[in-house]
Amino acid sequence: MIMPAKRIIPCLDVKEGKTVKGIRFEDIRDVGDPVEMGRLYSQAGADELVYLDITASHEKRKTLPQLVRDIAANLNIPFTVGGGVSDLDDARILLEAGADKISVNSAAVRSPELIDKIARNFGSQFVTLAIDARKEQQGWQVFINGGRIETEKELFAWAREGQERGCGEILFTSMNHDGAKKGYAIDALDGLSRILSIPVIASGGAGETDHFAELFRRTDVDAALAASVFHYKEIDITEMKRYLSKQGIEVRI
Amino acid sequence: MKTVIIQYNAGNIRSVDFALRRLGEEPEITGDHEKIRQADKVIFPGVGEAKSTMEYLEARGLDRLIVQLSQPVLGICLGMQLMCEDSEERNASCLGIIPVRVKRFRGDMKVPHMGWSRITGLKSPIFEGVPEGSFVYFVHSYFVPENACSIAESWHGMGFSAAVKRENFYAVQFHPEKSGTTGERILKNFLAL
């Protein structure tokens, strides 16, 4: 069966118009201009980018449409914008600014019909459901507001509901793995890609090239997202793709 | 040279505009019949739903205008599907330039087909300098089956038409405006026709 190439997606956290990377959601270090950063990533072989306005959920700010316009004007690969998308108007503004997709997280947990509305108006391909979850004794619990508030929702049920409501992709971040650099949450990601018929993006835990190889060997997820390993140049995307390709994993080089 | 992008109720028009500007073009986004008719190149982009989009075009007479154009026209994504006879998407009747019915992906494959896939069987000047098997970016749930007008193929569980050409009408299922340097080359080739 011929599938699309596995996607490698650097994630850029943006705060007040600048790119930063949160280490375990705290202790943020500034690493530059989001537009220039995006262009460099595209040249370096990234397949897609995710920009997350990490201040949005916490301080109720809106992601800046002007920044999205600048990114769209300069980037020749697709990009997703997330953080603080809380209603249809937010989505429309970002679409008109040139975002290829938006991701919804906390607002969708609070009012799940937001997913239906965005999908109906702008198409499923435009809405990614981002889910932050942590494994606890009773299972994978969904968190909102940048991992600060635990909810009643369970990961797998919520992902399935998101698909039924019309989201085009699921972006799952394991809070247990995020920042630890010991590999992705293989079991949960394997479970998600088995029960879903839409693409799954893995997030949280990448520390070395073999973590990506392991992810694509052991699960059917479509894409791997990572931030710090790319930001701090611990992993070169093109070199990693060559390595993955040698392992028989289809990637775009 | 004047390039116009047909303005209608579809997403991603801005992305196409930006991509052309990166190539040094200054396209105009317009729904004005006279401007479209007089342009050297016409781009017909689109992300969205077939039936409501056709209704929008019909309400403005753009459907009849597009089929009469004689300069090079490039349909992108939904634009390609709308160039076909009709679509399984809410049984939309389309422009009828490419005599084939648009179908929905079925089976075990993930839908939408979203991501980078290879294109092969490249046979048109718009693919000049683009190696066989190059990756381009797709986002779609419906596809144009391979047909006599196909000038490129791709796969998502099954083969489908990644690009078609009939007379002055060219169309691609993928998004050249989002397909990195390969996409830029294809757009450049189209503009040079």
Side-chain angles (χ1 to χ4, degrees):
Chain A
M1 190 106 73
I2 298 168
M3 316 254 293
K6 299 298 184 184
R7 286 175 275 157
I8 304 298
I9 309 178
C11 177
L12 298 94
D13 290 351
V14 175
K15 190 178 185 185
E16 283 145 24
K18 288 185 124 184
T19 318
V20 293
K21 166 57 191 166
I23 306 296
R24 288 182 184 276
F25 292 104
E26 309 282 334
D27 183 28
I28 286 161
R29 288 161 63 182
D30 192 338
V31 282
D33 166 26
V35 178
E36 190 52 29
M37 199 80 166
R39 204 160 42 187
L40 289 175
Y41 275 135
S42 172
Q43 284 166 10
D47 296 304
E48 194 173 319
L49 299 176
V50 169
Y51 286 92
L52 278 183
D53 190 337
I54 53 168
T55 55
S57 195
H58 184 46
E59 293 166 18
K60 309 287 178 208
R61 273 180 52 251
K62 305 289 181 188
T63 305
L64 296 171
Q66 184 55 50
L67 176 63
V68 173
R69 270 191 288 275
D70 286 348
I71 296 165
N74 286 286
L75 198 64
N76 59 6
I77 56 172
F79 70 101
T80 303
V81 180
V85 175
S86 59
D87 58 31
L88 198 58
D89 273 344
D90 291 338
R92 187 193 316 276
I93 288 165
L94 295 173
L95 174 76
E96 285 167 3
D100 296 290
K101 314 177 204 177
I102 49 124
S103 70
V104 290
N105 190 331
S106 307
V109 170
R110 288 193 203 97
S111 36
E113 64 280 6
L114 177 63
I115 300 168
D116 309 59
K117 278 191 214 161
I118 298 174
R120 233 185 357 254
N121 280 273
F122 309 124
S124 286
Q125 84 292 333
F126 187 63
V127 51
T128 298
L129 176 60
I131 306 176
D132 298 333
R134 191 164 76 194
K135 190 168 190 185
E136 300 186 333
Q137 276 177 347
Q138 70 273 33
W140 285 91
Q141 288 305 119
V142 175
F143 281 68
I144 56 170
N145 285 41
R148 284 183 288 270
I149 300 173
E150 183 165 1
T151 73
E152 297 290 300
K153 291 203 186 288
E154 186 272 334
L155 168 66
F156 297 97
W158 178 225
R160 208 184 272 123
E161 183 182 340
Q163 171 177 299
E164 281 158 16
R165 288 181 178 276
C167 71
E169 286 185 309
I170 298 284
L171 163 55
F172 162 55
T173 303
S174 163
M175 294 169 62
N176 305 69
H177 297 73
D178 198 39
K181 297 196 168 191
K182 289 183 175 163
Y184 288 93
I186 298 291
D187 290 345
L189 286 159
D190 180 49
L192 279 176
S193 64
R194 281 174 197 277
I195 62 164
L196 298 173
S197 60
I198 54 176
V200 174
I201 303 168
S203 162
E208 53 189 87
T209 301
D210 269 324
H211 294 153
F212 292 84
E214 181 194 28
L215 173 70
F216 293 130
R217 263 200 313 266
R218 294 183 52 197
T219 78
D220 274 335
V221 303
D222 302 83
L225 179 143
S228 54
V229 289
F230 299 138
H231 277 282
Y232 302 121
K233 300 190 170 68
E234 291 160 26
I235 292 179
D236 177 275
I237 297 173
T238 303
E239 263 173 43
M240 177 173 78
K241 282 184 159 182
R242 285 203 194 98
Y243 176 80
L244 294 175
S245 181
K246 275 187 203 141
Q247 309 259 314
I249 297 162
E250 172 96 321
V251 286
R252 178 183 71 113
I253 297 180
Chain B
M1 190 179 82
K2 190 69 201 164
T3 301
V4 304
I5 300 170
I6 298 179
Q7 174 159 43
Y8 65 114
N9 64 333
N12 98 321
I13 285 180
R14 184 173 277 274
S15 305
V16 175
D17 178 45
F18 281 140
L20 294 175
R21 285 176 193 279
R22 284 196 295 273
L23 297 174
E25 289 290 311
E26 286 184 12
E28 183 173 359
I29 303 173
T30 180
D32 183 90
H33 287 212
E34 208 40 47
K35 283 182 178 168
I36 295 171
R37 213 176 275 127
Q38 284 174 7
D40 298 300
K41 299 277 160 34
V42 175
I43 301 202
F44 180 41
V47 168
E49 191 271 323
K51 187 148 189 156
S52 56
T53 307
M54 277 306 297
E55 285 165 4
Y56 181 99
L57 294 172
E58 284 158 10
R60 287 154 185 80
L62 286 167
D63 57 327
R64 290 186 305 281
L65 174 76
I66 292 168
V67 298
Q68 287 165 7
L69 294 173
S70 56
Q71 67 274 59
V73 179
L74 178 66
I76 297 176
C77 196
L78 181 64
M80 166 158 164
Q81 298 182 2
L82 295 182
M83 282 187 184
C84 295
E85 198 63 42
D86 53 11
S87 172
E88 282 186 2
E89 189 168 20
R90 291 175 63 211
N91 260 323
S93 175
C94 303
L95 297 172
I97 297 164
I98 308 293
V100 62
R101 180 171 174 82
V102 179
K103 295 189 169 154
R104 187 175 166 88
F105 282 116
R106 290 192 179 83
D108 293 339
M109 299 309 291
K110 294 187 181 181
V111 179
H113 167 216
M114 188 183 300
W116 298 81
S117 294
R118 294 177 185 273
I119 47 172
T120 57
L122 310 179
K123 38 179 190 246
S124 163
I126 68 166
F127 295 118
E128 199 189 314
V130 177
E132 277 287 308
S134 292
F135 283 101
V136 290
Y137 187 75
F138 289 90
V139 185
H140 59 130
S141 300
Y142 292 81
F143 68 94
V144 176
E146 288 178 38
N147 64 82
C149 300
S150 295
I151 51 170
E153 277 90 53
S154 189
W155 286 264
H156 188 60
M158 61 174 72
F160 66 90
S161 189
V164 290
K165 173 192 183 292
R166 186 176 179 197
E167 293 162 8
N168 57 313
F169 293 94
Y170 297 77
V172 293
Q173 179 62 67
F174 53 90
H175 288 276
E177 75 280 11
K178 291 287 164 184
S179 294
T181 50
T182 300
E184 283 165 358
R185 182 67 202 247
I186 293 166
L187 287 175
K188 226 183 252 177
N189 289 341
F190 171 75
L191 294 171
L193 283 173

